[in-house]
Amino acid sequence: MNNEYKPALLIIDFQEDFCPPNGALAVAEGRSIAPIINDLLRLPFVQKIATKDFHPPDHVSFASNHPEPHNKPFISFVTIPNPYNPDETEISRLWPVHCVQGTPGAELIPELDISRVHMVVEKGQDARVEVYSAFGAPFRNPVVKEASTGLAQSLRNAGVTDVFVVGLAMDYCVRSTAIDAVAEGFKTYVIIEATKAVDPSEEGWGKTVKELESAGVNLVGLAGEELAKVRLAEDV
């Protein structure tokens, strides 16, 4: 493979709790993208990484861990402070209990060809902070080291130059991961056929597309030149 071009594939949170029919936080048609992602796994990416939400039971994102009446999944929001700087805060939506460590809902779906995945990154293990991005918590002043996954360093160690992001969900964890990938210095793409949104409307998917483009993320298709370049790369 060309030393100047080393693409990686990030498969975000392709887990039972995010997929129909029984997921606690199922994304409509989320399971349907498995064949597309498995096809992508056959391409010569230098790193193929799957991520998992991997929460403790007392995680701050669970509506049930907050007092009434501000504990309604999908409806309630909470202001989460940086554990080391109360002046830095994030407003986050609250969710049903999902992807709890050691539960079936936290498992990657069996349709995913895990034999082709080089590494699994577990995120969201710090109960104090919400982590949508595969890289870590959104706080920067200071960074919450306990919530960082080490993904950026793993990609750099492999010489990765370009990052392709797929999985669930487009308007949350895919979005945040792609934006952080740009911030970490990688040329970044989201493959539109290989992701689904919690909210597929203009308010969800449409707004996310605009935010990604504004952040420097490239929205690409399976038939585009970006993946053609991956296909032409020498196998590893």
Side-chain angles (χ1 to χ4, degrees):
M1 179 172 288
N2 186 335
N3 290 332
E4 301 303 315
Y5 177 67
K6 291 190 176 181
L9 179 68
L10 302 185
I11 304 163
I12 306 301
D13 299 357
F14 210 20
Q15 295 166 270
E16 287 289 354
D17 265 344
F18 293 128
C19 289
N22 300 315
L25 188 45
V27 178
E29 300 182 2
R31 218 173 196 98
S32 69
I33 59 176
I36 295 172
I37 292 176
N38 285 337
D39 284 345
L40 291 168
L41 280 168
R42 295 184 181 95
L43 301 183
F45 292 98
V46 297
Q47 286 281 281
K48 303 168 187 178
I49 298 172
T51 73
K52 294 170 67 175
D53 254 8
F54 207 59
H55 298 313
D58 59 344
H59 196 258
V60 68
S61 73
F62 297 165
S64 57
N65 288 328
H66 297 269
E68 292 185 354
H70 308 294
N71 62 347
K72 303 295 186 289
F74 304 104
I75 297 171
S76 299
F77 289 80
V78 64
T79 299
I80 302 173
N82 184 328
Y84 304 112
N85 176 12
D87 292 331
E88 186 180 19
T89 61
E90 287 282 334
I91 296 174
S92 184
R93 188 185 298 271
L94 295 181
W95 304 106
V97 175
H98 64 279
C99 299
V100 174
Q101 298 168 7
T103 67
E107 296 301 315
L108 296 168
I109 69 168
E111 294 94 326
L112 180 66
D113 186 1
I114 193 69
S115 70
R116 295 181 182 272
V117 172
H118 297 137
M119 176 170 53
V120 176
V121 171
E122 295 169 344
K123 64 186 180 71
Q125 299 188 68
D126 189 321
R128 303 169 298 173
V129 294
E130 177 63 287
V131 175
Y132 290 141
S133 169
F135 293 91
F139 300 117
R140 297 292 179 265
N141 187 29
V143 169
V144 182
K145 292 182 179 179
E146 300 93 328
S148 296
T149 64
L151 175 60
Q153 193 57 50
S154 294
L155 294 172
R156 290 192 184 98
N157 289 346
V160 168
T161 57
D162 296 54
V163 170
F164 290 78
V165 187
V166 302
L168 303 172
M170 168 68 157
D171 41 347
Y172 286 93
C173 295
V174 167
R175 169 193 172 277
S176 294
T177 296
I179 290 172
D180 275 3
V182 171
E184 292 287 351
F186 302 104
K187 191 165 186 180
T188 305
Y189 314 84
V190 169
I191 303 173
I192 56 176
E193 297 97 332
T195 183
K196 296 289 183 181
V198 172
D199 179 1
S201 73
E202 186 61 29
E203 265 306 298
W205 180 280
K207 179 182 176 185
T208 300
V209 166
K210 293 174 184 175
E211 290 174 343
L212 290 171
E213 290 174 339
S214 178
V217 178
N218 302 280
L219 281 294
V220 301
L222 291 171
E225 62 183 18
E226 298 84 3
L227 278 171
K229 186 175 180 181
V230 178
R231 291 187 180 95
L232 290 171
E234 181 183 348
D235 208 348
V236 294

